[in-house]
C-alpha cells in the first residue's frame, strides 16, 4: 500500500528537531518604548491560540513577559532576504553567552536593519510589520517553563501561550467572495526547516545565515536524550 520499503530506519541523535514550520517575526516593545523585531519558527496554532517556543533569556521573551503582549507577523517567501538580515541579531545588550557563542550581535534598530516598516497595533502597543501578509496582535495568556525534568535544559526554554486579539491580512491573499478566509492557493508562507529557508516548493530559497551555524552548537554540554 505504501510502495516498496527502503532501507530500515536507523537510530540518530540530531542536535535539533526543526522539521519545518512557518517563520514568525515577533514584534514586541522594549523597556525604553522602542520596537523590537525577532524571527523565530517554533510556533503552532489551535483556534485563536498560539504556542511559542522561545529561549528564556531572549529580549523578545523578556519583552513579552513584561508587557503581556506582542504581534505575530507572518512573512511570505518574498520577504526571505529581509528576514535573513535579522538572523544572528539580538535586542539584548549584552548579548547572552549562548548567542554570543553562535555569532550573534546586538542590534537596536531591527526595523532599520531589515528594511521593514513598523505599523502601530490596534489592540496592543507592539509593532506590526506592514510588508507581512498576515499580522496577528496578541496578548500573553500563560508562560510555561519547559524541560523542567532535564537538568541541562531546565531554565533555558519557555513555552508561551498567546491569545490572538486581532488579525490583519493583505487583500491579495484573501479568498474571492469570502471576506474572512485566506486563500491557501495565494498564501505562500516562509518556512524554516533545519535552519534553511523554504516555501511550498522543494527548492531551497536562498543561503540562510542561521544555516551557517553548525547544528551541534545548539546542543548543551553534557545533554543526553532522556530514556
Amino acid at each position: 500500500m505504501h510502495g516498496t520499503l527502503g532501507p530500515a530506519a536507523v537510530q540518530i541523535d540530531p542536535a535539533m528537531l526543526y522539521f519545518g514550520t512557518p517563520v514568525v517575526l515577533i514584534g514586541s516593545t522594549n523597556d525604553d518604548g522602542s520596537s523590537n523585531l525577532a524571527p523565530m519558527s517554533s510556533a503552532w496554532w489551535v483556534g485563536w491560540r498560539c504556542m511559542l517556543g522561545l529561549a528564556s533569556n531572549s529580549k523578545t521573551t523578556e519583552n513579552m513577559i513584561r508587557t503581556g503582549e506582542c504581534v505575530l507577523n507572518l512573512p511570505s517567501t518574498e520577504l526571505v532576504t529581509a528576514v535573513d538580515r535579522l538572523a544572528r541579531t539580538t535586542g539584548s545588550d549584552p548579548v547572552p553567552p549562548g548567542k554570543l557563542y553562535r555569532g550573534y550581535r546586538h542590534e537596536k534598530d531591527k526595523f532599520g536593519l531589515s528594511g521593514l516598516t513598523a505599523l502601530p497595533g490596534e489592540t496592543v502597543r507592539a509593532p506590526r510589520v506592514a510588508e507581512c501578509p498576515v499580522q496577528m496582535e496578541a496578548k500573553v495568556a500563560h508562560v510555561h517553563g519547559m524541560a523542567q525534568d532535564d537538568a541541562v535544559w531546565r531554565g533555558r526554554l519557555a513555552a508561551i501561550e498567546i491569545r490572538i486579539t486581532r488579525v490583519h491580512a493583505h487583500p491579495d491573499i484573501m479568498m474571492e467572495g469570502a471576506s474572512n478566509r485566506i486563500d491557501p492557493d495565494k498564501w505562500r508562507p516562509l518556512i524554516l526547516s533545519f535552519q534553511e529557508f523554504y516555501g511550498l516548493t522543494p527548492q531551497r530559497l536562498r543561503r540562510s545565515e542561521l544555516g551557517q551555524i553548525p547544528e551541534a552548537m545548539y546542543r548543551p554540554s553534557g545533554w543526553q536524550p532522556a530514556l
Side-chain angles (χ1 to χ4, degrees), residues 13-18 42 53-57 98 102 144-159 215-226:
D13 184 18
M16 58 173 58
L17 300 174
Y18 290 175
S42 297
L54 293 164
S56 298
N57 64 350
R102 293 191 289 271
H144 311 269
M146 293 183 65
Q148 296 300 301
D149 58 345
D150 189 315
V152 174
W153 278 106
R154 187 182 304 124
R156 294 172 181 253
L157 302 173
E215 287 188 11
M217 294 182 75
Y218 287 91
R219 190 195 307 276
S221 177
W223 183 82
Q224 295 293 330

Side-chain angles (χ1 to χ4, degrees), residues 30 34-37 85-86 89-91 105-116 118:
N30 295 318
S34 61
S35 295
N36 189 49
L37 188 64
R85 292 192 188 114
L86 296 172
T89 67
T90 176
R105 70 185 191 278
H106 169 66
E107 177 61 50
K108 180 71 171 179
D109 185 8
K110 299 287 195 71
F111 277 94
L113 176 66
S114 65
L116 298 172

Side-chain angles (χ1 to χ4, degrees), residues 131-168:
E131 292 82 359
C132 284
V134 179
Q135 307 144 24
M136 293 178 283
E137 302 178 24
K139 301 282 188 178
V140 174
H142 299 284
V143 179
H144 311 269
M146 293 183 65
Q148 296 300 301
D149 58 345
D150 189 315
V152 174
W153 278 106
R154 187 182 304 124
R156 294 172 181 253
L157 302 173
I160 305 179
E161 182 183 343
I162 299 298
R163 174 174 57 87
I164 306 302
T165 56
R166 186 154 298 175
V167 179
H168 308 266

Side-chain angles (χ1 to χ4, degrees), residues 33-217:
S34 61
S35 295
N36 189 49
L37 188 64
M40 60 87 72
S41 62
S42 297
W44 57 274
W45 287 262
V46 174
W48 275 50
R49 297 276 170 152
C50 178
M51 291 297 298
L52 304 173
L54 293 164
S56 298
N57 64 350
S58 77
K59 190 64 175 178
T60 295
T61 304
E62 173 190 318
N63 288 345
M64 290 172 59
I65 293 175
R66 189 188 69 257
T67 65
E69 62 181 36
C70 66
V71 177
L72 308 181
N73 302 280
L74 303 186
S76 66
T77 54
E78 295 177 350
L79 297 177
V80 60
T81 298
V83 171
D84 201 46
R85 292 192 188 114
L86 296 172
R88 287 209 256 194
T89 67
T90 176
S92 297
D93 186 16
V95 179
K99 289 191 173 182
L100 193 64
Y101 167 65
R102 293 191 289 271
Y104 279 67
R105 70 185 191 278
H106 169 66
E107 177 61 50
K108 180 71 171 179
D109 185 8
K110 299 287 195 71
F111 277 94
L113 176 66
S114 65
L116 298 172
T117 308
L119 292 176
E122 296 177 358
T123 64
V124 298
R125 291 185 60 198
R128 295 187 284 140
V129 178
E131 292 82 359
C132 284
V134 179
Q135 307 144 24
M136 293 178 283
E137 302 178 24
K139 301 282 188 178
V140 174
H142 299 284
V143 179
H144 311 269
M146 293 183 65
Q148 296 300 301
D149 58 345
D150 189 315
V152 174
W153 278 106
R154 187 182 304 124
R156 294 172 181 253
L157 302 173
I160 305 179
E161 182 183 343
I162 299 298
R163 174 174 57 87
I164 306 302
T165 56
R166 186 154 298 175
V167 179
H168 308 266
H170 286 190
D172 56 3
I173 66 168
M174 299 304 297
M175 186 174 291
E176 187 175 352
S179 60
N180 291 310
R181 293 189 63 186
I182 292 173
D183 191 336
D185 287 334
K186 300 175 181 177
W187 169 225
R188 289 293 175 265
L190 181 61
I191 304 294
L192 194 70
S193 177
F194 290 101
Q195 303 187 103
E196 298 291 349
F197 291 118
Y198 295 87
L200 297 179
T201 64
Q203 292 80 31
R204 187 182 304 178
L205 292 174
R206 56 158 287 159
R207 172 193 180 276
S208 163
E209 179 62 27
L210 284 183
Q212 310 314 303
I213 303 175
E215 287 188 11
M217 294 182 75

